Amino acid sequence: MKSKLKKIAVLTSGGDAPGMNAAIRAVVRSCAYHNVECVGVYRGYEGLIEGDFEILDARSVKNIINRGGTFLKSARSKEFMTKEGRQKAYDHLIREEIDALVTIGGDGTFRGAIVFNEEFDFPIVGIPGTIDNDINGTDFTIGYDTALNTVVEAIDKIRDTANSHNRLFLIEVMGRDAGDIALNAGIGAGAEEILIPEQDLGRDRLVESLKRSKKSGKSSSIVVVSEGGQIGKNIMGLADYIRQNLTEYECKVTVLGHIQRGGAPSCFDRVLASRLGVGAIDALLSGEKDIMIGVIHNKVTSVPFKKSLEGSNKIDQSLIRVADIISI
């Protein structure tokens, strides 16, 4: 049975991810399809506190499906972490006669939604938007596929230089607590070694592996390092250790940084974002709340917010085996 929601707000929070605009577009147009008014909230929870709202219709979101970032902007709000800040946000929602909220973001966004729902019993549905792919209850998060392709393209270009100069490149990618980007991009780009937070290989094992690669005839090597890799304090320290213990290579470091977050979303991310945006409105109109909309085995599904935060998706052990086998 469909609920009688008349006005739904949507916001993006936390780090931006390619495909967020596609998700906003899907939310807005789903609202229009169901004759529900849609309100865009600028700058995430900070805009919610300040009442930075704008009515959006189907034409408001034209020509944004191909754009990276988020046109609603994003911000991390310290004030929303306080009860007084959340009260201000709730007051603005009630004053504008908003009946429900769609939040697009990662774990921090969902934690804020959980607290807000507990305090005010306000209907909220989340859409996972983060390049790290570290949300439980969904096979993929919006932005992850685009980030992977960005990283692989960058590594392909760096390999040209590595091959030309017989160099060892350490390439740091995002993923403080999750190694999905490093593992998948490393396999896709043919890296000799991949260092991820979920697996502590140790610096000595890495050096020995690189020595074996050199003896086997490899004139250059690529090592992909997740920024949360258990290999030392930072990638520069790792590079110094390798230089001291492996003189066969000239060791260089490249930190890809925020380039991984930008750019036009891939087709996969555009389709995923569109499916999740429609799914979020369907869930709210069916009376669901305090949930995240995800995709499992290519089917749109919903999980409670709290379950989505019960540890990130487990790393695929079979991929680690694949990486070990094909990097010899």
Side-chain angles (χ1 to χ4, degrees):
M1 181 178 178
K2 297 291 185 181
S3 64
K4 296 181 179 180
L5 300 180
K6 295 181 179 179
K7 187 182 288 189
I8 296 174
V10 58
L11 62 79
T12 51
S13 177
D16 62 299
M20 280 185 165
N21 279 324
I24 296 167
R25 175 180 181 268
V27 167
V28 173
R29 292 193 170 176
S30 291
C31 284
Y33 179 84
H34 291 288
N35 296 314
V36 175
E37 194 169 18
C38 190
V39 177
V41 181
Y42 287 94
R43 296 176 295 111
Y45 290 132
E46 192 71 12
L48 204 61
I49 291 171
E50 297 176 6
D52 193 359
F53 302 161
E54 181 181 348
I55 299 295
L56 301 176
D57 60 24
R59 301 286 74 79
S60 300
V61 290
K62 66 180 181 180
N63 300 327
I64 68 168
I65 193 171
N66 60 319
R67 288 166 50 188
T70 162
F71 90 94
L72 286 179
K73 310 297 183 182
S74 186
R76 290 181 169 87
S77 175
K78 291 184 178 179
E79 190 175 2
F80 194 78
M81 297 178 184
T82 68
K83 190 167 185 177
E84 294 77 14
R86 293 190 294 272
Q87 182 67 56
K88 290 180 184 178
Y90 178 73
D91 291 343
H92 279 298
L93 289 169
I94 298 304
R95 188 176 300 120
E96 295 297 323
E97 298 182 326
I98 294 171
D99 302 309
L101 176 65
V102 176
T103 59
I104 306 170
D107 56 355
T109 301
F110 293 169
R111 287 192 177 91
I114 290 171
V115 175
F116 195 79
N117 181 267
E118 289 175 346
E119 291 179 344
F120 303 106
D121 193 27
F122 193 86
I124 304 179
V125 168
I127 296 175
T130 168
I131 68 168
D132 290 336
N133 203 42
D134 59 351
I135 301 295
N136 191 43
T138 184
D139 290 338
F140 303 104
T141 58
I142 295 170
Y144 171 61
D145 183 72
T146 305
L148 276 184
N149 284 292
T150 298
V151 171
V152 168
E153 182 180 1
I155 295 175
D156 286 346
K157 293 178 179 179
I158 291 170
R159 185 177 288 281
D160 291 342
T161 295
N163 289 335
S164 297
H165 296 276
N166 294 345
R167 286 174 178 169
L168 164 65
F169 269 90
L170 303 182
I171 302 173
E172 183 183 273
V173 302
M174 285 184 170
R176 184 171 291 106
D177 301 308
D180 287 69
I181 291 178
L183 180 57
N184 284 272
I187 292 174
E192 279 68 34
E193 289 289 341
I194 304 168
L195 308 180
I196 57 177
E198 295 88 347
Q199 189 181 42
D200 186 0
L201 299 180
R203 295 184 298 179
D204 292 336
R205 180 205 172 282
L206 172 63
V207 170
E208 289 305 314
S209 176
L210 292 171
K211 285 181 178 179
R212 287 195 299 271
S213 294
K214 186 69 173 178
K215 288 180 180 178
S216 72
K218 289 187 178 181
S219 60
S220 63
S221 284
I222 297 290
V223 178
V224 178
V225 184
S226 176
E227 62 182 338
Q230 301 177 37
I231 203 69
K233 291 184 178 180
N234 56 55
I235 196 171
M236 297 304 176
L238 174 60
D240 289 338
Y241 183 84
I242 291 174
R243 292 184 185 110
Q244 293 168 11
N245 293 275
L246 185 66
T247 58
E248 290 89 341
Y249 286 118
E250 181 183 0
C251 184
K252 297 292 184 179
V253 173
T254 297
V255 178
L256 295 184
H258 285 79
I259 189 176
Q260 297 160 86
R261 281 191 184 171
S266 65
C267 180
F268 182 91
D269 274 328
R270 298 182 199 192
V271 174
L272 175 64
S274 299
R275 295 178 71 190
L276 299 187
V278 170
I281 298 305
D282 284 346
L284 284 171
L285 293 179
S286 296
E288 295 185 78
K289 64 179 181 179
D290 199 26
I291 61 168
M292 177 199 77
I293 302 297
V295 60
I296 297 179
H297 303 312
N298 203 33
K299 291 186 177 181
V300 174
T301 186
S302 63
V303 298
F305 270 137
K306 289 184 178 179
K307 184 177 180 181
S308 74
L309 300 177
E310 291 178 353
S312 62
N313 281 336
K314 296 290 188 292
I315 204 74
D316 189 340
Q317 294 298 319
S318 68
L319 282 181
I320 293 177
R321 180 173 181 270
V322 168
D324 288 341
I325 291 173
I326 65 176
S327 64
I328 62 172

